[in-house]
Amino acid sequence: MFRPTPALVPADDALPGRAEPVLDAPQPHAVLATPITGPWQDNQRSVLVGVGCFWGPEKLYWQLDGVVSTSVGYAGGVTPNPTYQEVCSGRTNHAEVVEVVYDPDVISLREIIALALEDHDPTQGFRQGNDVGTQYRSAFYTLGEHAAQDKELIEEMVADYGRRLAEHGYGEVTTEIAALADTPSGQYYRAEDYHQQYLHKVPDGYCPTHATGVACGR
């Protein structure tokens, strides 16, 4: 009841982080058996999706036809190579995200984003339900040569979804949308190994969904 309202910290007050990745020995995807760190093939694309706790959304995506690989990590903040504990401290400015690597000939970016929007409540600011903190914010970060084009598509979809939510009584959408290169660190930092494919390794693990029940236009 008396927790402080979450807020991004000034860059000078962010934790210093480290030069070395916290995922120091990447293992193949525990479900798909594909690499989780690339390199990706020329016909494969990727996007970073933040909809709150990253365990559940990663499972949602690895089950889809056309998804080549997934991993979980941190993006949109300041601190280089943060640990999970540091991100949860609220002093890195990172969001928890899922990297979705996909074959656009099988599944489209529009389908991937629609699933993300329907899987959470993008009007909650720095929280999803009882998960409170800047790391739980709604966010999409685009990558690679298609980053600008993908960002435009996501902006259009989020704006349309915001109108649909408003018709059902929800407030303003707070989703952050950016090309990853334009974020403070410009980097995606994969989380520790125990977080990767967590709900496969811990089938009874807790990761609630905060879907609104409002459909997103395809």
Side-chain angles (χ1 to χ4, degrees):
M1 181 181 298
F2 300 105
R3 288 180 294 187
T5 301
L8 298 176
V9 299
D12 290 345
D13 292 338
L15 296 174
R18 59 200 47 79
E20 304 79 18
V22 297
L23 183 63
D24 58 356
Q27 301 299 308
H29 197 287
V31 178
L32 302 176
T34 53
I36 67 169
T37 57
W40 314 123
Q41 299 177 14
D42 291 342
N43 66 325
Q44 296 170 348
R45 294 166 66 170
S46 59
V47 64
L48 301 178
V49 172
V51 297
C53 172
F54 49 23
W55 295 335
E58 187 189 19
K59 181 178 180 179
L60 171 70
Y61 284 113
W62 81 51
Q63 299 178 90
L64 299 179
D65 290 341
V67 171
V68 177
S69 186
T70 62
S71 66
V72 297
Y74 319 112
V78 177
T79 301
N81 297 299
T83 65
Y84 180 69
Q85 288 75 19
E86 288 171 341
V87 171
C88 290
S89 77
R91 294 186 59 208
T92 72
N93 288 354
H94 286 294
E96 292 189 18
V97 296
V98 180
E99 181 180 33
V100 183
V101 183
Y102 64 100
D103 180 346
D105 291 332
V106 181
I107 187 170
S108 69
L109 178 63
R110 182 175 292 275
E111 291 173 286
I112 288 169
I113 301 304
L115 285 170
L117 291 173
E118 292 174 349
D119 195 51
H120 78 304
D121 180 351
T123 70
Q124 291 198 18
F126 294 137
R127 67 180 300 158
Q128 282 295 302
N130 292 328
D131 291 334
V132 179
T134 55
Q135 73 271 30
Y136 298 117
R137 67 187 183 271
S138 174
F140 297 104
Y141 304 112
T142 59
L143 304 93
E145 62 179 308
H146 301 285
Q149 175 185 339
D150 290 351
K151 178 174 176 285
E152 289 183 5
L153 172 64
I154 295 170
E155 287 172 340
E156 292 172 2
M157 292 187 66
V158 170
D160 177 73
Y161 196 57
R163 290 188 287 269
R164 293 168 185 262
L165 288 171
E167 292 172 356
H168 288 79
Y170 286 88
E172 183 178 356
V173 167
T174 59
T175 303
E176 178 181 332
I177 308 166
L180 182 64
D182 294 335
T183 61
S185 71
Q187 299 290 323
Y188 166 55
Y189 302 106
R190 290 178 181 85
E192 296 86 340
D193 180 70
Y194 74 93
H195 288 296
Q196 306 299 333
Q197 299 85 63
Y198 180 85
L199 292 184
H200 172 75
K201 299 171 181 175
V202 186
D204 296 327
Y206 173 75
C207 190
T209 297
H210 299 287
T212 62
V214 177
C216 179
R218 271 23 178 213

